[in-house]
Amino acid sequence: MKFVMTQAVCPEGMKLLDGVSQVYVADNQDPNNYLDQMQDADALIVRIAKCDGHAIEHSPNLKVIGRTGVGYDTVDVKKATELGIPVVITPGANNRSVAEHAVAMMFALSKNLVQAQNEMCAGNWEIRGAGKAFELEGKTVGVIGMGAIGRETAKICQGCGMKVAGYDPFMSREKIEALGAKYYADYRELLKTADIITIHVPLTEETRNMIAKEQLASMKKTALIITVAGAASSMSPTWSKL
Ligand SMILES: NC(=O)c1ccc[n+]([C@@H]2O[C@H](COP(=O)([O-])OP(=O)(O)OC[C@H]3O[C@@H](n4cnc5c(N)ncnc54)[C@H](O)[C@@H]3O)[C@@H](O)[C@H]2O)c1
């Protein structure tokens, strides 16, 4: 079998491929740039990359596309399915990492870490008096998408003394409440009351643009919004957008 990988994975992962397979590590995000290597590839392993229909169509031997993560919106799943090529993910591989990242962003924002660090490095020690820091304890975090990452994030937040409110149309009230979270049937209601919103949904027709101008405007003026659900994870204090 020949494996093509857009990027190498951790040494333990690479070791699994030792000796049993031919492996080509492209170190390049787009298989269209090495279609010659794709001609006899049996499997494509995609990390931070794009795999469009053109690349899939021009990989005649391809039997499987694996994503080393859980989102697959960078892969043209429709084209792969048309050609009978399964697209597989690695559930559970990075729940904790992504959840910790989301909480790290909450701390960074609530302690004004980025601005404080930048100002201090520029010699402005007065930044410590800016009065922008606040405590997370007692604040309400609204978790949109109570799947593996959302639940892990909720758990860490609860450990920090935060209240959790959850929205997930595919989870029952009982399940959400059993996680110690307040249940919301409509995320627009949750947006109005949460101090921090953290988003952990896949990209679908329903979730695309689910937070737009109108939703941002409905949030508390001091609310924070964090999204680590996409390739470009980001944090943005909403007041800078309003
Ligand atoms: N930034 C990163 O490094 C990184 C890493 C891994 C995953 N992700 C993203 O995080 C997403 C979630 O990952 P996960 O492992 O928790 O997946 P998961 O499938 O366990 O959870 C996703 C949850 O979203 C819910 N959901 C679906 N549609 C919804 C909607 N319209 N409104 C609210 N909830 C909805 C589902 O019911 C499910 O519970 C992935 O799809 C991926 O895009 C990002």
Side-chain angles (χ1 to χ4, degrees):
M1 288 234 340
K2 176 174 172 183
F3 283 74
V4 173
M5 307 176 75
T6 55
Q7 294 97 357
V9 293
C10 64
E12 292 86 344
M14 295 305 293
K15 218 166 168 202
L16 292 173
L17 298 168
D18 260 4
V20 290
S21 316
Q22 189 190 342
V23 180
Y24 173 76
V25 180
D27 209 10
N28 186 301
Q29 299 193 12
D30 188 350
N32 283 300
N33 294 330
Y34 38 91
L35 285 177
D36 53 331
Q37 291 290 338
M38 296 304 297
Q39 292 314 299
D40 56 349
D42 295 283
L44 172 67
I45 299 181
V46 184
R47 219 181 101 206
I48 303 162
K50 184 169 143 264
C51 180
D52 66 12
H54 184 268
I56 297 172
E57 263 180 337
H58 289 82
S59 305
N61 205 35
L62 203 57
K63 297 175 184 66
V64 62
I65 299 168
R67 255 278 294 139
T68 60
V70 292
Y72 42 76
D73 47 270
T74 55
V75 178
D76 189 336
V77 179
K78 193 164 172 261
K79 176 59 70 187
T81 307
E82 251 173 57
L83 297 175
I85 302 167
V87 179
V88 298
I89 56 170
T90 55
N94 54 8
N95 301 349
R96 183 68 192 188
S97 267
V98 181
E100 286 187 8
H101 193 90
V103 178
M105 287 180 164
M106 291 178 206
F107 274 108
L109 285 169
S110 64
K111 302 302 165 204
N112 196 30
L113 284 186
V114 177
Q115 190 194 11
Q117 170 75 7
N118 289 343
E119 290 290 323
M120 193 193 70
C121 289
N124 176 18
W125 286 80
E126 298 313 313
I127 189 66
R128 66 190 151 170
K132 285 187 178 173
F134 62 89
E135 288 175 357
L136 291 176
E137 187 178 42
K139 296 287 183 297
T140 296
V141 59
V143 181
I144 299 185
M146 291 287 279
I149 296 171
R151 287 198 298 273
E152 197 65 28
T153 305
K155 197 169 80 183
I156 303 173
C157 289
Q158 285 163 335
C160 296
M162 299 169 80
K163 295 176 230 162
V164 174
Y167 167 75
D168 192 316
F170 301 101
M171 272 178 85
S172 64
R173 171 188 286 272
E174 292 69 34
K175 275 201 170 161
I176 288 182
E177 287 179 350
L179 297 166
K182 183 169 176 184
Y183 170 81
Y184 277 81
D186 185 340
Y187 79 99
R188 286 165 299 197
E189 291 306 311
L190 182 151
L191 291 179
K192 289 181 199 162
T193 54
D195 298 299
I196 298 161
I197 307 288
T198 185
I199 301 170
H200 302 285
V201 293
L203 181 64
T204 65
E205 280 315 304
E206 290 75 38
T207 60
R208 189 184 295 278
N209 298 329
M210 81 189 290
I211 307 285
K213 197 173 171 188
E214 184 193 334
Q215 288 77 22
L216 287 174
S218 74
M219 292 170 61
K220 288 183 178 178
K221 293 282 180 256
T222 51
L224 311 175
I225 186 159
I226 290 164
T227 170
V228 291
S233 301
S234 61
M235 55 180 175
S236 29
T238 50
W239 57 73
S240 66
K241 296 225 188 290
L242 295 173

